[in-house]
Amino acid sequence: MKLTLKVWRQKNAESKGYFEKYQVEANVHMSFLEMLDVLNEELIEQKKDPIAFEHDCREGICGACSMVIDGKPHGPQTGTTTCQLHMRFYNEGDEIVIEPFRARAFPVIKDLVVERASFERIIQSGGYISVNTGQAPDGNALPVEASKYEEAFDAASCIGCGACVAACPNGSAMLFTSAKINHLEKLPQGKIEHSERVLNMVAQMDKEGFGNCSNVGACEVECPKEISTENIANLNKFYLESVFIKQE
Ligand code: SF4
Ligand code: FES
């Protein structure tokens, strides 16, 4: 199939970006990233600068393949990362607009690649368990209620891609931060440092320049892992509790 791509090109963080049009021939069995690979091979053959885009696992688990396709972070398929999007969803002659994630806390490095170290710093501020939990316990030694481990697992499926931030009109990182906090809060090992974690991660999130959550809900809609905004509601509750615990 012959496609027209309108791709955001930007040399570096300081330069002004612009859209450039390309024609590419893809086949229905390709993934979206393979289609971009084909275009890049052609650009390299023509001694032109290939389009910079991030990718790693290409299996929907690492969160690297972050781009906005036709106005939607990770493209038009719900619950799907860009690397899992396939060209069979497109038709001959389609025009596809591809841009980087746009958010103050995610500056563009080049073309479709943005700097997401702000997410790393939120994790570094508390998204871990530092207490000594000993050797890996036997499977049934530490009972966890079924509903709790399911909630923990759902929250843990966040791949840190940043689509929630790109989808949010306020550029809020609440879905990401709340998923990480809820994941740990549901498990006995994570409860010990919970209040400190909540205060530190929220403080870091604010410091990084992410906006406030105003309950738009676009984050949940565009999240490729369908992380629920219930995590945000829980985080708001945890935050109030943690502030009071600190004051006691
Ligand atoms: S909550 Fe969803 S959209 Fe946000 S970083 Fe995690 S996986 Fe990506
Ligand atoms: S490349 Fe890893 S999730 Fe897409």
Side-chain angles (χ1 to χ4, degrees), residues 104-166:
R104 188 171 44 166
F106 291 165
V108 172
I109 296 174
K110 189 178 178 198
D111 299 337
L112 306 173
V113 180
V114 296
E115 168 70 85
R116 283 173 297 165
S118 45
F119 266 17
E120 304 301 330
R121 289 189 290 270
I122 292 174
I123 295 295
Q124 283 164 9
S125 70
Y128 51 82
I129 293 168
S130 67
V131 292
N132 185 355
T133 56
Q135 299 286 328
D138 284 345
N140 297 323
L142 199 59
V144 179
E145 266 175 64
S147 64
K148 292 280 175 226
Y149 73 63
E150 277 173 13
E151 282 170 30
F153 187 80
D154 286 349
S157 62
C158 164
I159 53 174
C161 63
C164 45
V165 176

Side-chain angles (χ1 to χ4, degrees), residues 55-58 60-65 81 83:
H55 59 96
D56 189 4
C57 69
R58 297 200 178 202
I61 52 174
C62 75
C65 55
T81 54
C83 60

Side-chain angles (χ1 to χ4, degrees), residues 74 119 157-165 175-177 179-180 219 222-227:
H74 289 293
F119 266 17
S157 62
C158 164
I159 53 174
C161 63
C164 45
V165 176
L175 195 64
F176 164 76
T177 307
K180 298 301 171 195
C219 53
E222 302 299 345
C223 172
K225 297 294 159 185
E226 301 178 315
I227 302 286

Side-chain angles (χ1 to χ4, degrees), residues 13-245:
E14 286 74 42
S15 64
K16 224 174 150 202
Y18 58 93
F19 280 107
E20 186 148 346
K21 266 195 182 182
Y22 301 96
Q23 308 296 325
V24 66
E25 207 162 327
N27 75 53
V28 287
H29 305 294
M30 285 178 179
S31 71
F32 198 85
L33 296 187
E34 283 168 342
M35 180 274 293
L36 286 180
D37 290 340
V38 168
L39 174 60
N40 270 349
E41 278 164 22
E42 284 171 17
L43 291 175
I44 291 165
E45 262 177 40
Q46 296 161 18
K47 309 258 181 279
K48 290 184 180 158
D49 192 22
I51 297 156
F53 65 91
E54 263 194 285
H55 59 96
D56 189 4
C57 69
R58 297 200 178 202
E59 291 179 350
I61 52 174
C62 75
C65 55
S66 306
M67 59 187 83
V68 174
I69 303 163
D70 287 334
K72 287 180 159 283
H74 289 293
Q77 291 293 118
T78 51
T80 307
T81 54
T82 300
C83 60
Q84 295 289 290
L85 177 63
H86 282 81
M87 297 316 294
R88 59 178 172 271
F89 296 112
Y90 289 92
N91 299 310
E92 172 74 30
D94 276 355
E95 181 172 295
I96 308 171
V97 181
I98 312 170
E99 305 166 71
F101 280 1
R102 299 193 192 274
R104 188 171 44 166
F106 291 165
V108 172
I109 296 174
K110 189 178 178 198
D111 299 337
L112 306 173
V113 180
V114 296
E115 168 70 85
R116 283 173 297 165
S118 45
F119 266 17
E120 304 301 330
R121 289 189 290 270
I122 292 174
I123 295 295
Q124 283 164 9
S125 70
Y128 51 82
I129 293 168
S130 67
V131 292
N132 185 355
T133 56
Q135 299 286 328
D138 284 345
N140 297 323
L142 199 59
V144 179
E145 266 175 64
S147 64
K148 292 280 175 226
Y149 73 63
E150 277 173 13
E151 282 170 30
F153 187 80
D154 286 349
S157 62
C158 164
I159 53 174
C161 63
C164 45
V165 176
C168 176
N170 308 322
S172 168
M174 277 292 272
L175 195 64
F176 164 76
T177 307
S178 65
K180 298 301 171 195
I181 287 172
N182 274 278
H183 157 211
L184 296 174
E185 191 274 338
K186 300 285 173 282
L187 303 172
Q189 300 95 325
K191 287 211 184 282
I192 301 154
E193 296 162 297
H194 170 69
S195 295
E196 208 185 322
R197 174 182 307 117
V198 169
L199 295 175
N200 290 344
M201 288 180 77
V202 169
Q204 189 64 37
M205 181 181 76
D206 290 343
K207 202 170 144 193
E208 297 292 347
F210 292 103
N212 292 325
C213 171
S214 53
N215 298 321
V216 172
C219 53
E220 181 181 298
V221 174
E222 302 299 345
C223 172
K225 297 294 159 185
E226 301 178 315
I227 302 286
S228 164
T229 47
E230 262 178 49
N231 289 290
I232 296 181
N234 288 343
L235 174 54
N236 285 330
K237 187 176 80 143
F238 295 153
Y239 186 75
L240 276 179
E241 287 168 356
S242 303
V243 167
F244 285 125
I245 288 170

